[in-house]
Amino acid sequence: MQYYHFVLIFTFIFVIYGQNTQWCPKLPIHFVINAFGKNKTTSVTPRCFTIGQCHMTIITSNEHHIINIKQNERNQLLFSSLNKLIIDSYEINSSLIFSSVSNNKIINSTEILTDNCYQTIIKRHTKEQSQSSSTESIAITFNSSAFIDYHYQEFLDYPLRLSVRFRTLGRISNGVLLSLTHRKSSLLITPFIIIEHSNGKVEITILQLDERKVLSTVTTIQCGKNINNDNWHWLQFEIDQNGIFTVVVDNDSRTSQIPTYVVLSWNINALLVGDTRRLSSDIFQPFIGYMSDLTFHDEHLFESLTKQKEHKLTRFQYDSQHIIIGYRVAFFNLVTIDTPKSYIAFSERENQNKNHGRLDIYFLFRSYVPDGIILYR
């Protein structure tokens, strides 16, 4: 009889635990909680999700979005419910990024580790309302023709350090994030270090001008994995005057070295963000997606985009085109095919580009008729 009671109790506990696990779906890689209106006085029904073997509950009241991964109030995360909350999940490094968004700007960003169902805050950006020098995190949307050209009056000193958060649109396979360049004019820009995402990895291409003043590749190095998965990723890059350079993507890092004479031949005075069609080389594709927290030469460059010229603190001058300040839907170019005889024809470039021999097409479409040819080659 005692054995019977033991089996019955054990089965009952197992059934309850199994039901709790089943009721909580897996946390999506990108989850949005809308802002809670000022005039609302009741709380939203609590929601729960699973993160590996962990459980996360979300409660939204008229004051806060309350996040609890462990049933312990000391580990609660609170965000104002007057703002939208975006949760990005990264299974590779067991981390979550919570971003409060107001007026299409990220005003508070917190990253936590969820190993063993325990929260460890590892990075936090908070907008200080009482200070004029806010550390506000600004997201910039880049389409296929958007760019920001930061340039300096003199050549930049070594070591050169930069970092940025980025997120690709969909699973686009290629796009240049940043280029360290020599800028003679707005139309004459020579790249020496090109940082792009290529086939799921970050690829660093080091270039130099040969005796004929033609760009040639010194070396390439790849770092990271699955970075074109429509999630936020963290990139850091540093190079010193001896040619030793390090690239870090999320939890992956690579270190390499180029000859010192290559570094001495450079005269880097600018950073090009986004579109590559203004470079002296046309073998690279422009970036489409989002960037945030760009730091270069110890300056937070995106902060100047939201300030008036008289209030800018940066030593860099900049030109920009087609950028969208805020977290919006990145886009290409809109074309309407309005008659049965309308069409668009593209000819492939005769010169070999970086992806020569490979067909890579990405586009959105909307139809008004039940059938029709979309494209053919």
Side-chain angles (χ1 to χ4, degrees):
M1 183 66 68
Q2 291 178 350
Y3 177 78
Y4 171 77
H5 287 307
F6 175 78
V7 173
L8 181 61
I9 293 173
F10 179 80
T11 306
F12 179 72
I13 293 175
F14 179 78
V15 170
I16 292 178
Y17 178 80
Q19 287 178 341
N20 286 337
T21 303
Q22 185 177 6
W23 290 341
C24 299
K26 181 180 178 181
L27 179 68
I29 61 175
H30 182 69
F31 185 69
V32 178
I33 306 173
N34 292 324
F36 202 69
K38 293 182 179 180
N39 297 327
K40 294 184 179 180
T41 57
T42 58
S43 299
V44 175
T45 303
R47 286 165 286 184
C48 69
F49 297 94
T50 60
I51 311 168
Q53 301 299 319
C54 309
H55 289 249
M56 180 177 72
T57 58
I58 303 172
I59 301 175
T60 298
S61 67
N62 58 344
E63 293 184 355
H64 295 105
H65 299 297
I66 304 171
I67 310 296
N68 215 328
I69 295 181
K70 187 177 182 182
Q71 297 300 324
N72 186 335
E73 293 184 357
R74 292 179 300 174
N75 291 322
Q76 282 186 347
L77 291 176
L78 300 179
F79 301 91
S80 173
S81 58
L82 297 180
N83 304 320
K84 180 192 297 183
L85 182 64
I86 298 176
I87 305 175
D88 290 302
S89 174
Y90 300 88
E91 294 184 358
I92 296 177
N93 56 359
S94 300
S95 69
L96 299 173
I97 294 182
F98 300 85
S99 302
S100 286
V101 179
S102 177
N103 296 324
N104 295 315
K105 296 180 182 178
I106 299 177
I107 62 172
N108 184 298
S109 180
T110 300
E111 183 175 3
I112 68 169
L113 300 178
T114 57
D115 292 335
N116 300 321
C117 304
Y118 185 80
Q119 300 178 15
T120 303
I121 297 178
I122 61 175
K123 181 174 180 290
R124 192 180 189 96
H125 293 285
T126 305
K127 181 179 180 181
E128 301 292 344
Q129 301 290 347
S130 59
Q131 297 182 4
S132 59
S133 59
S134 169
T135 57
E136 179 178 348
S137 182
I138 300 170
I140 306 297
T141 300
F142 289 84
N143 57 46
S144 59
S145 61
F147 70 84
I148 310 175
D149 178 7
Y150 292 101
H151 42 279
Y152 201 60
Q153 294 181 350
E154 302 174 355
F155 297 150
L156 296 170
D157 297 328
Y158 291 91
L160 298 176
R161 299 188 183 96
L162 63 82
S163 62
V164 69
R165 290 177 64 214
F166 69 93
R167 177 178 179 177
T168 63
L169 175 66
R171 300 194 66 86
I172 296 177
S173 59
N174 294 83
V176 172
L177 295 157
L178 307 162
S179 305
L180 292 167
T181 71
H182 172 63
R183 184 185 190 274
K184 291 184 179 180
S185 68
S186 60
L187 299 177
L188 186 55
I189 299 176
T190 304
F192 291 115
I193 302 175
I194 294 180
I195 304 174
E196 64 176 322
H197 73 90
S198 178
N199 301 320
K201 299 181 179 180
V202 167
E203 183 171 297
I204 310 292
T205 302
I206 306 293
L207 303 168
Q208 69 171 343
L209 289 172
D210 60 21
E211 296 177 353
R212 299 172 298 170
K213 300 299 180 181
V214 176
L215 280 173
S216 61
T217 301
V218 178
T219 187
T220 60
I221 188 171
Q222 293 185 332
C223 185
K225 60 182 179 179
N226 197 29
I227 57 99
N228 62 328
N229 59 356
D230 202 15
N231 282 333
W232 283 100
H233 297 274
W234 185 257
L235 164 68
Q236 294 173 284
F237 176 80
E238 178 177 338
I239 186 169
D240 64 20
Q241 59 185 359
N242 297 318
I244 300 174
F245 65 94
T246 300
V247 57
V248 180
V249 180
D250 298 330
N251 291 332
D252 191 18
S253 64
R254 296 287 187 276
T255 299
S256 187
Q257 185 173 12
I258 58 175
T260 304
Y261 69 83
V262 174
V263 179
L264 295 176
S265 70
W266 294 340
N267 39 16
I268 294 175
N269 64 351
L271 175 69
L272 182 61
V273 186
D275 186 22
T276 62
R277 279 172 284 191
R278 300 167 72 245
L279 300 177
S280 301
S281 174
D282 63 352
I283 65 174
F284 296 93
Q285 303 299 316
F287 174 74
I288 301 175
Y290 314 94
M291 294 191 210
S292 180
D293 299 315
L294 174 61
T295 301
F296 179 57
H297 226 50
D298 298 323
E299 293 193 23
H300 300 278
L301 296 183
F302 284 169
E303 290 185 3
S304 62
L305 300 176
T306 60
K307 299 181 182 296
Q308 297 180 355
K309 291 185 177 181
E310 59 269 20
H311 296 147
K312 291 177 182 176
L313 301 177
T314 179
R315 295 168 294 172
F316 288 88
Q317 299 176 347
Y318 72 89
D319 302 311
S320 64
Q321 174 179 288
H322 298 165
I323 64 169
I324 301 174
I325 300 176
Y327 195 81
R328 308 288 180 84
V329 177
F331 61 91
F332 297 80
N333 296 292
L334 181 64
V335 176
T336 300
I337 309 296
D338 56 357
T339 72
K341 295 184 178 180
S342 299
Y343 69 91
I344 303 172
F346 296 96
S347 60
E348 296 187 54
R349 291 181 294 182
E350 294 182 0
N351 60 316
Q352 292 188 2
N353 60 22
K354 188 174 179 63
N355 295 310
H356 181 72
R358 172 183 173 185
L359 185 63
D360 190 359
I361 299 176
Y362 185 96
F363 63 95
L364 308 176
F365 70 94
R366 178 181 179 184
S367 64
Y368 292 99
V369 294
D371 51 51
I373 294 176
I374 297 177
L375 62 86
Y376 66 91
R377 184 188 187 199

